[in-house]
Amino acid sequence: MPHLSDRIANLHESATIKMAQLGRELKAQGHDIISLSLGEPDFVTPKHICEAAKKAIDEGFTFYTAVPGTIELRKAIQAKFKRDNGLDYSPEQIVVSTGAKQSLINVVLCLVNPGEEVIVPAPYWVSYAAMVELAEGKMVNIFTTIDQDFKITPEQLEAAITPKTRMVMFSSPCNPSGSVYTKEELAGLAKVLAKHPEIYVVSDEIYEYINFDGKHESIAQFPEIYNQTITVNGFAKGFAMTGWRVGYIGAPLWIAKACDKLQGQFTSATCSIAQKAAEAALNGDMQPSYDMRDQFHRRRDMVIALLSEIPGLKTNTPPGAFYLFPDVSAYFGKTYNGEVLKDADDLSLYLLAEAHVALVSGAAFGSPECVRISYAASDKQLVEACARLKSALAKLK
Ligand code: PMP
Ligand code: GLU
C-alpha cells in the first residue's frame, strides 16, 4: 500500500495549475480550448534579459551561487527597493529564491508554528492557504465582496486579530481580484498592525509593475511596521519571466537569515543563469515592462466591455494584475439539460465542457461566488472566449 505522509495526503492541489492542466489535456485530445486559467503573461521575456542569460552560459557562470543569491543580484534588488519603493534593505536583508512561491513558503515555514493563526483576506491567491496548511498553521479569512472592491478595512483587520495571530498575508495588486490598495488604505492597516508588533506582515508585491492607475505602494514604507514586514517580489509577472524561477524578499535581518538557513537545506540558491538574467532585468531598460503593462490595460478594458454584454455577471474595474474576478452567483441554481449548477465549481466545469473556455472557480481563492478570468491572452482569444461565455451562459435556464 502506498503510504503518504498526512502532510501531503491532506494538502490541496493547486486549483490554478489543475485547471490549466485540464485545459491542456482537453486540447491534446483535439478540443479547441481557450485557457484563461493560468496567471502567466503571454509575452516572451524581453531580449536584453535573455541576452544576459546567454552571456552567463558563454562565460561559464554555471556554478552554485551563494544560497541567498549573488551579491550582484542582491545589490540590484537593494537599488530597486530604494528606487521604486523608497525602501532600505541591505543585501543581507535580501534572500533570492526559486520563484516568489518559494520566498513565501520560506517565510511561512520560518515564522508560523502549528496552531498559530495567519490572517488571509479573501479572495487570496490559492497557494497561501496550502502554505499555511503545510506549516500546520490555521488560516483565518477576512471575507470581502466585489462591492468593497475586495479590499479589507482596518476595522475588519482589527476584529480578526486574536492572541494566536502570528501573520497577515496579502497581495497588492491582488491575485485574483486585481485590486490595489492605495497609500491611505495601507496606512490604515499599518496603524492597526503597529499596535501588534508580534504579528508579521507578508506583503506580496509580485504584480507591482502591472498597475494601471498609479504608483505602486509598499506597506513596509510605514516606519512603525517596517520591522514587522516581509516584502515579497519576483520577476515572473512584471518581466514575463515565469519559467526562470526567481523571486525574493526584503525582510528584517533575522528573518532573512532564517530563510537563508531553510533554503540552504532545501533547494540552495536558484539557477545561476536565471540570476544573471534577473540582474539584467532590474538594471536594464524598463520600457518592455511598461509596454506589457499597457497591453494588459487595454485588454482589461476590452474584456470588461465584452463581459458587460453578458447579463448576470457583476464585474468591477480592477486597477492591477491581469485578472477579472466577476461575481457569478446570479447563475447558481440554474440548470443545463436538467443538471443544476450549484456553485462556481460547477459553473466553471460547465463552461469548460460547453464553451471550451478554462477559468478558475473562485472557491479556490476563498470567494465561492466568483470566477477568475486571466486576460493574459491574445486579443483574438479574449474576443472569442467572451463570445463563447456569452452563448454558453445564455443556455442556462
Ligand atoms: N504570488 C502571487 C500573488 C502569484 O500570483 C504568484 C503566481 N505566480 C506567485 C506569488 C508566485 O510567483 P513565482 O512564479 O515567482 O513563484
Ligand atoms: N500565480 C499564477 C496563477 O495564479 C500561476 C499559477 C500558480 O503558480 O499557481 O495562476
Side-chain angles (χ1 to χ4, degrees):
M1 270 297 274
H3 175 90
L4 289 174
S5 67
D6 294 345
R7 188 179 303 115
I8 195 68
N10 297 335
L11 188 71
H12 289 91
E13 195 180 340
S14 163
T16 49
I17 290 179
K18 188 173 162 187
M19 206 58 185
Q21 184 56 26
L22 203 56
R24 276 189 211 112
E25 280 166 18
L26 287 171
K27 220 176 209 167
Q29 290 166 17
H31 297 290
D32 172 22
I33 302 291
I34 303 179
S35 180
L36 307 183
S37 56
L38 199 63
E40 173 162 46
D42 55 320
F43 302 109
V44 294
T45 306
K47 202 159 182 285
H48 67 283
I49 300 175
C50 298
E51 290 303 330
K54 289 184 196 163
K55 185 160 173 274
I57 296 175
D58 290 342
E59 291 179 354
F61 194 74
T62 55
F63 296 90
Y64 290 136
T65 73
V67 171
T70 65
I71 187 65
E72 293 82 7
L73 176 54
R74 281 180 292 139
K75 281 186 173 163
I77 294 170
Q78 176 187 31
K80 177 264 172 223
F81 270 134
K82 189 75 190 161
R83 176 190 77 203
D84 296 347
N85 315 114
L87 297 176
D88 286 306
Y89 287 115
S90 69
E92 294 70 35
Q93 291 177 273
I94 293 166
V95 178
V96 178
S97 301
T98 307
K101 221 172 205 171
Q102 188 186 14
S103 303
L104 289 160
I105 188 75
N106 280 352
V107 172
V108 173
L109 289 177
C110 286
L111 295 180
V112 178
N113 277 316
E116 288 179 336
E117 294 178 357
V118 178
I119 296 178
V120 181
Y124 49 80
W125 181 44
V126 279
S127 295
Y128 295 169
M131 288 176 188
V132 175
E133 211 173 307
L134 267 180
E136 296 175 57
K138 183 171 171 252
M139 178 165 79
V140 173
N141 295 129
I142 302 174
F143 293 99
T144 64
T145 65
I146 200 162
D147 298 320
Q148 60 187 116
D149 280 328
F150 301 107
K151 290 194 270 191
I152 59 165
T153 61
E155 294 72 30
Q156 283 182 299
L157 177 59
E158 185 83 70
I161 293 173
T162 76
K164 284 195 171 166
T165 309
R166 180 75 168 143
M167 182 180 279
V168 178
M169 205 170 172
F170 73 108
S171 59
S172 177
C174 174
N175 177 3
S177 70
S179 298
V180 177
Y181 284 90
T182 63
K183 185 172 178 177
E184 293 66 35
E185 288 164 343
L186 291 175
L189 301 179
K191 207 167 152 199
V192 173
L193 293 162
K195 288 191 276 175
H196 302 276
E198 71 290 357
I199 299 179
Y200 294 95
V201 187
V202 178
S203 175
D204 181 347
E205 304 180 15
I206 193 162
Y207 294 93
E208 166 177 11
Y209 295 127
I210 309 173
N211 180 343
F212 315 129
D213 280 3
K215 187 181 156 308
H216 176 75
E217 300 291 346
S218 297
I219 198 165
Q221 71 183 283
F222 301 104
E224 62 273 27
I225 61 157
Y226 172 80
N227 285 323
Q228 287 164 253
T229 304
I230 300 97
T231 307
V232 179
N233 212 321
F235 295 82
K237 315 293 173 172
F239 297 100
M241 290 176 70
T242 47
W244 298 76
R245 312 308 302 134
V246 195
Y248 58 91
I249 57 166
L253 187 58
W254 64 275
I255 297 177
K257 280 189 171 166
C259 291
D260 181 0
K261 183 171 153 191
L262 176 64
Q263 189 164 296
Q265 294 284 31
F266 222 130
T267 54
S268 277
T270 191
C271 167
S272 58
I273 298 150
Q275 289 189 60
K276 281 288 178 204
E279 198 186 318
L282 291 183
N283 291 338
D285 183 10
M286 288 296 295
Q287 197 54 45
S289 295
Y290 299 148
D291 292 345
M292 289 189 270
R293 175 201 59 200
D294 294 344
Q295 290 293 330
F296 287 132
H297 191 174
R298 195 185 48 72
R299 289 176 188 174
R300 178 201 67 177
D301 292 341
M302 180 182 88
V303 177
I304 288 178
L306 293 168
L307 294 182
S308 73
E309 293 168 16
I310 305 179
L313 281 193
K314 191 168 168 186
T315 309
N316 64 349
T317 302
F322 38 64
Y323 306 109
L324 295 177
F325 201 56
D327 182 320
V328 289
S329 55
Y331 288 96
F332 298 170
K334 295 205 177 209
T335 55
Y336 180 68
N337 283 349
E339 290 268 334
V340 182
L341 303 181
K342 295 183 304 299
D343 52 25
D345 286 355
D346 285 354
L347 193 71
S348 34
L349 288 175
Y350 165 74
L351 292 171
L352 182 61
E354 183 63 27
H356 288 171
V357 177
L359 310 175
V360 189
S361 162
F365 304 96
S367 293
E369 71 284 9
C370 297
V371 292
R372 189 186 76 172
I373 301 175
S374 162
Y375 55 85
S378 70
D379 286 23
K380 190 163 166 266
Q381 284 178 312
L382 291 169
V383 170
E384 172 65 18
C386 290
R388 291 188 194 179
L389 291 177
K390 187 176 178 183
S391 81
L393 288 170
K395 291 181 191 162
L396 298 177
K397 297 282 171 271

